[in-house]
Amino acid sequence: MTGRRAGVPWALLVPALAGLAFLVLPLAGLLVRAPWSTLGARLAEPQVLAALRLSLVTATLATALCLVLGVPLAWLLARTRFPGQGLVRALVIVPLVLPPVVGGVALLMLLGRRGLLGRWLEAAFGVTLPFSTAGVVVAEAFVALPFLVISVEGALRAADSRYEEAAATLGASRWTAFRRVTLPLIAPGVLAGATLSWARALGEFGATITFAGNFPGRTQTMPLAVYLALETDPEAAIVLSLVLLVVSVAVLALLRDHWGLGARAG
Amino acid sequence: MNRGTGGLDARLVVHRESRAGRFALDLALAAAPGEVVALLGPNGAGKTTALRALAGLERLTAGHVRLGGTALHPLPVEARPVGMVFQDYLLFPHLSALENVAFGPRCRGVGRREARRRAAALLDRVGLAEYAAVRPRALSGGQAQRVALARALAAEPGLLLLDEPLAALDAHTRLEIRSGLRRHLADFDGVTVLVTHDPLDAMTLADRLVVLEEGVLVQEGSPAEVARRPRTGYVARLVGLNLYRGTARGHTVTVERAELDAAEALDGEVFVVFAPAAVALYRSRPHGSPRNVWNTTIAGIERQGDRVRVRLGGPLPAAADVTPAAVAELGLAEGVAVWAAVKATETHAYPA
């Protein structure tokens, strides 16, 4: 960037600035309309605290679930070859482009009381996932998992697989090589993926409300609380939105500082 | 891991097809315990493929690898008693030098404390005791090479594989590391196979050279033997000799349209060699003792250290080394016609 503003054509500059304004102004509006004087009292309200607590707990559990399932899945995609691999990769990405509501409906069809697996889960273990806190975790993990898989697979592809060969010549099995060499090497990618997944899980709305419903204290996460409050108490909605905004910006800052995302990184 | 003190007996057949074309390696390799064998050859000859096949990193199309009578080829990489030093070392960047060296013993079931003790002893042996806690990023090229060697030796392999062990080093470090490596290889009682394209590394480190070209063995022997009697153009260039193939009748060898007098009397197909330094150049036909004399034109001139290498054209394309003073006195330049002479006693013939 050399500051040669004269060189920027108007046809590009005007839409670019309009685009920036389009992204920033709504957030500014949120800040301007926030009830700053009563903010402290509002934040201390039990419903707000319950929703915040539930959001943080479920997003963290969903991220843990994503790590347990997603890192091995990414390894399989990056380090092995099997027939239909392209199809598997496409299927992994589907939840990324699927409307979350559809994801929620799909989860109901599988894990609902009358769902294919849900019926069996209830009969065998007495477990019902829909409309429970566990259901929230499942819905959030469903939409967040692709973010983790994509990040980790990218990190695995960027990591030199010859380190694994070196480990093998030193007597390490594939599992040992993964645990002691590969995982530490791709740790930044795993952390970045986990953070993205966590942020996605925190903001999850469509799949959650469809699959887990909207019960305060049990399944009502922050985004659901915001939506409900907008009907009855717009100021509360603004306060809740501010909290989510602060959390999101904090996550972004963390990503930038620690893993070189944003700024100049490609 | 049992220390395999037996010899190596391998036949490595690897066929591969890629976009770059078809590649085939077929190499029989045997080595006694304590022996150092260098695989020498131009790029793409299959040296590294052969090394990777010994380690199990490359699948054999056919053949076998036996060490001390134990078949290694059915075993996965991690179960082979093999230590490998990679060309760019591949030290684990997230582990200290000590942890890198202790990695092998740990994987082979040695307790943490004992593995670290062994690693410390090995680092001490390669002169890096004070670098135990240092990460690979902070090591110089020469230090990293020595840590890589210590790491490969730590699991007490019966077969040590070195892929271009000195290629990544600058000239000065190379000299120092080469003599250190020579010492460590002499101490090692297993079989060592090293890959290099540098004749000096091969000559100084190895007991025996195996020259590969396009996936097959073209020459094998002690460094002195290979240096004295090259059998391909590649080997001749490597050891710096002019090489011809011809038909001998007594001391006279017919090479295409030219004739050479050789020191040895032979009959049939032979190779003839002489050193570039044995070639004398004149502007007019020299007189005197019986020698090989022919006239030719200069195809090119290049400076090599304190000597000047003159490339001669037909009928007997050859390299001649002369002094810069001779170039000036004789007015040597590209395209100039000269007489070349080589004494018969400097020309060696041996059966092809």
Side-chain angles (χ1 to χ4, degrees), chain B residues 149 175-185:
Chain B
L149 179 68
L175 204 70
E176 194 185 306
I177 296 295
R178 191 190 287 129
S179 62
L181 183 57
R182 202 178 136 80
R183 232 176 27 247
H184 294 303
L185 292 185

Side-chain angles (χ1 to χ4, degrees), chain B residues 303-323:
Chain B
R303 177 127 201 177
Q304 286 191 345
D306 59 346
R307 306 283 289 173
V308 175
R309 170 144 303 184
V310 179
R311 280 187 294 111
L312 305 174
L316 205 64
D321 281 353
V322 296
T323 60

Side-chain angles (χ1 to χ4, degrees), chain A residues 75 79 155-174 176-186, chain B residues 52 57 77 84 86-95 100 103 107 135-137 144 148 151:
Chain A
W75 184 86
R79 284 287 190 270
L156 278 168
R157 286 189 183 284
D160 193 338
S161 65
R162 292 179 314 142
Y163 284 113
E164 289 157 36
E165 291 188 349
T169 66
L170 293 168
S173 65
R174 273 196 117 169
T176 306
F178 172 77
R179 205 166 40 83
R180 292 204 50 205
V181 176
T182 315
L183 209 50
L185 284 179
I186 61 162
Chain B
R52 291 173 55 85
L57 295 170
V77 183
M84 186 153 175
F86 293 83
Q87 185 173 354
D88 42 2
Y89 319 133
L90 296 177
L91 295 176
F92 304 130
H94 60 289
L95 299 179
N100 262 284
F103 189 95
C107 285
R135 292 278 164 102
R137 203 187 309 272
R151 183 176 73 169

Side-chain angles (χ1 to χ4, degrees), chain B residues 280-286 295-296 298 326-333 335-340:
Chain B
L281 297 180
Y282 304 89
R283 285 305 287 270
S284 57
R285 190 183 173 101
N295 85 342
T296 179
I298 294 176
V327 173
E329 269 165 42
L330 296 171
L332 301 181
V336 168
V338 290
W339 288 87

Side-chain angles (χ1 to χ4, degrees), chain A residues 8 17 31 37 87-88 102 122 127 141 151 168 170-171 180 189 210 225 233:
Chain A
V8 180
L17 291 178
L31 292 175
S37 51
L87 181 68
V88 170
V102 179
E122 185 166 22
V127 175
S151 295
L170 293 168
R180 292 204 50 205
T210 314
D233 183 0

